[in-house]
Amino acid sequence: MKKIILSAIAVMAFGFVNAQDIKYGIKGGLNLSSLSGDTDGLDLKSKFGFHAGGFVEIKFSEKFALQPELLYSTQGTKFDDIQLGGNAAKTCFNFDYINVPVMFKYFAAEKFFVEAGPQIGFLVAAKARVKVDEQNIDNKQDIKDNFESIDFGLNFGAGYEFTENIFASARYNLGLANIAKTESGDDTKIHNGVFSLSVGYKF
């Protein structure tokens, strides 16, 4: 992990030195997230969240650019499989991450681009909410200690620039790291997966 972070820093430093054009911007939008892996047969469903933050677009040429970002992102999953007192319990896992994607962009056409790159995420908070409507139960619990504090994954996406300043993009984050905090002998693996839609503005 340390080598990956150092490599990303080196690439960004190289980009600033060799950049032809540097722009700063803000972006935000919707997330549709869930978890995958060893889920004990639970029927995990996607949940909506949001992301917001800033970025730097470092353009090397008309076709290629590097875009490091800093984003606050709400993620997680939900499921209704657990029974409490004969009634279905609606459970929602809510994760808050600070994500740092480093995207390599290729402008396939004048305004259309595709992008891919690594992402490291830092878990800020993790809470479970359990609701049983028939029993008037609505409990929240901190579950941050059950999950790893660092996530790592790959992003793939595409976007379109409506003007020199305004753009929209779609992206999928494929979680590669096991975010389940396990004890010795427990090989449980859980991964994040997030589809996001964004709009942004470049200054």
Side-chain angles (χ1 to χ4, degrees):
M1 184 67 70
K2 184 178 180 181
K3 291 182 179 179
I4 294 172
I5 296 173
L6 292 175
S7 297
I9 293 173
V11 168
M12 285 187 282
F14 176 82
F16 273 105
V17 172
N18 293 275
Q20 293 185 2
D21 185 26
I22 299 175
K23 291 185 177 180
Y24 300 87
I26 55 175
K27 62 181 294 187
L30 293 176
N31 290 340
L32 186 62
S33 64
S34 190
L35 302 178
S36 63
D38 302 320
T39 58
D40 296 326
L42 294 174
D43 182 19
L44 300 186
K45 300 176 182 178
S46 299
K47 69 177 291 290
F48 284 103
F50 72 91
H51 63 276
F55 64 88
V56 181
E57 184 188 71
I58 309 164
K59 245 187 171 178
F60 307 120
S61 66
E62 291 184 359
K63 292 290 187 180
F64 295 97
L66 178 71
Q67 185 166 299
E69 304 175 358
L70 182 65
L71 303 174
Y72 179 81
S73 179
T74 62
Q75 303 168 197
T77 190
K78 60 183 180 180
F79 51 93
D80 303 329
D81 304 77
I82 297 177
Q83 297 287 321
L84 291 178
N87 297 307
K90 299 177 182 179
T91 306
C92 186
F93 286 0
N94 298 303
F95 301 150
D96 294 346
Y97 277 94
I98 298 295
N99 289 328
V100 186
V102 180
M103 306 302 293
F104 298 88
K105 300 173 68 174
Y106 172 69
F107 289 83
E110 183 179 357
K111 296 183 178 182
F112 175 78
F113 63 87
V114 292
E115 59 180 3
Q119 173 178 292
I120 186 169
F122 302 93
L123 183 64
V124 176
K127 297 184 184 296
R129 183 178 184 182
V130 179
K131 294 181 65 178
V132 183
D133 294 334
E134 292 82 359
Q135 300 179 27
N136 293 321
I137 294 175
D138 189 352
N139 292 332
K140 295 181 181 179
Q141 183 177 357
D142 192 321
I143 55 173
K144 190 171 184 290
D145 290 341
N146 296 325
F147 294 92
E148 297 289 348
S149 59
I150 295 178
D151 184 27
F152 180 77
L154 291 176
N155 290 329
F156 308 91
Y160 186 83
E161 297 185 339
F162 298 100
T163 70
E164 291 185 0
N165 305 104
I166 301 171
F167 69 91
S169 63
R171 181 182 297 177
Y172 182 73
N173 170 247
L174 175 66
L176 300 179
N178 179 20
I179 63 169
K181 188 176 290 185
T182 59
E183 299 179 353
S184 178
D186 184 354
D187 59 354
T188 299
K189 291 180 174 59
I190 301 293
H191 304 279
N192 277 310
V194 184
F195 176 74
S196 59
L197 293 173
S198 308
V199 292
Y201 187 88
K202 292 189 286 187
F203 299 99

